[in-house]
Amino acid sequence: EAGVVQSPRYKIIEKKQPVAFWCNPISGHNTLYWYLQNLGQGPELLIRYENEEAVDDSQLPKDRFSAERLKGVDSTLKIQPAELGDSAVYLCASSFAGENIQYFGAGTRLSVL
Amino acid sequence: GDSVTQMEGPVTLSEEAFLTINCTYTATGYPSLFWYVQYPGEGLQLLLKATKADDKGSNKGFEATYRKETTSFHLEKGSVQVSDSAVYFCALGNAGNMLTFGGGTRLMVKP
């Protein structure tokens, strides 16, 4: 069974440019999470989806970050415009609804120059 | 709010040494507790979990016991291998299946 797939694995952009990350969760997983992981720190939740509905986006900086999960399967996280401080690893995870085990993708490492 | 505190790393051990990584938590209600491991260049993988007080989670020789009285979930392994070198994250899961992670502890095992 395929795990959580994220792309790209690495992205280098200049500040003020837009960037997008894609995540395909494990088949059948209703719940999808986007996390931010700064260097040397644990992941911090940005947004959580139950199917296509964003049920917790309180930590998402909405002035520049947006996310969508239109068909309740794969998801896209976008930053526009990117700032130097956005350099980090962006992790996607998924789980069955009501289950407390989350499965993580390998992440996208973003470098903003 | 919920929080998790882990011992700072790096922890450097020789092969076959005993490992302990301390983890304490603050939470409302009755959270589940987890240890995740992150190998270089990879995402987090669930290592073990415990869902209620006095439960012991175990996997691949690693163990952790959910201690409600000390609000702790320390990770232990009797004999580490070079292949155990990774970053270990303690986490708690509360309402809505939200995970709160500690800052991670890097383990380096030397041959």
Side-chain angles (χ1 to χ4, degrees), chain B residues 73-97:
Chain B
F73 193 55
H74 305 322
L75 183 68
E76 297 182 336
K77 186 175 186 183
S79 176
V80 293
Q81 305 300 311
V82 172
S83 57
D84 293 327
S85 298
V87 180
Y88 292 81
F89 292 93
C90 185
L92 70 83
N94 222 328
N97 301 322

Side-chain angles (χ1 to χ4, degrees), chain A residues 1-9 21-27 29 32-34 73-76 90-94 103-108, chain B residues 43:
Chain A
E1 180 183 316
V4 176
V5 179
Q6 292 188 247
S7 68
R9 287 296 310 276
F21 315 124
W22 177 79
C23 173
N24 191 28
I26 292 173
S27 177
H29 281 192
L32 184 145
Y33 311 79
W34 282 103
V73 181
D74 56 348
S75 176
T76 303
Y90 292 83
L91 294 168
C92 179
S94 69
Y103 299 84
F104 284 80
T108 296

Side-chain angles (χ1 to χ4, degrees), chain A residues 9 33 37 40-43 45 48 56 98-102 104-106, chain B residues 32 34 36 38 41-44 46 49 89 96-99 101-103:
Chain A
R9 287 296 310 276
Y33 311 79
Q37 186 178 22
Q41 298 183 23
L45 182 70
R48 176 170 67 103
D56 186 344
E99 186 178 88
N100 59 12
I101 296 176
Q102 296 180 23
F104 284 80
Chain B
S32 296
F34 304 84
Y36 278 83
Q38 188 174 34
E42 299 184 15
L44 280 72
L46 178 66
K49 71 168 190 172
F89 292 93
N97 301 322
M98 309 294 285
L99 289 181
F101 286 90

Side-chain angles (χ1 to χ4, degrees), chain A residues 29-101:
Chain A
H29 281 192
N30 314 78
T31 309
L32 184 145
Y33 311 79
W34 282 103
Y35 287 89
L36 167 69
Q37 186 178 22
N38 285 306
L39 186 64
Q41 298 183 23
E44 300 173 10
L45 182 70
L46 289 172
I47 189 169
R48 176 170 67 103
Y49 282 93
E50 294 288 348
N51 298 305
E52 65 274 11
E53 182 182 358
V55 296
D56 186 344
D57 63 355
S58 58
Q59 302 303 311
L60 190 73
K62 298 182 183 63
D63 57 336
R64 297 184 300 108
F65 286 65
S66 64
E68 60 183 16
R69 193 184 185 201
L70 294 176
K71 296 182 179 179
V73 181
D74 56 348
S75 176
T76 303
L77 177 69
K78 298 178 182 178
I79 308 175
Q80 183 170 10
E83 297 178 352
L84 296 176
D86 295 332
S87 296
V89 176
Y90 292 83
L91 294 168
C92 179
S94 69
S95 68
F96 286 111
E99 186 178 88
N100 59 12
I101 296 176

Side-chain angles (χ1 to χ4, degrees), chain B residues 66 86 93:
Chain B
Y66 189 162

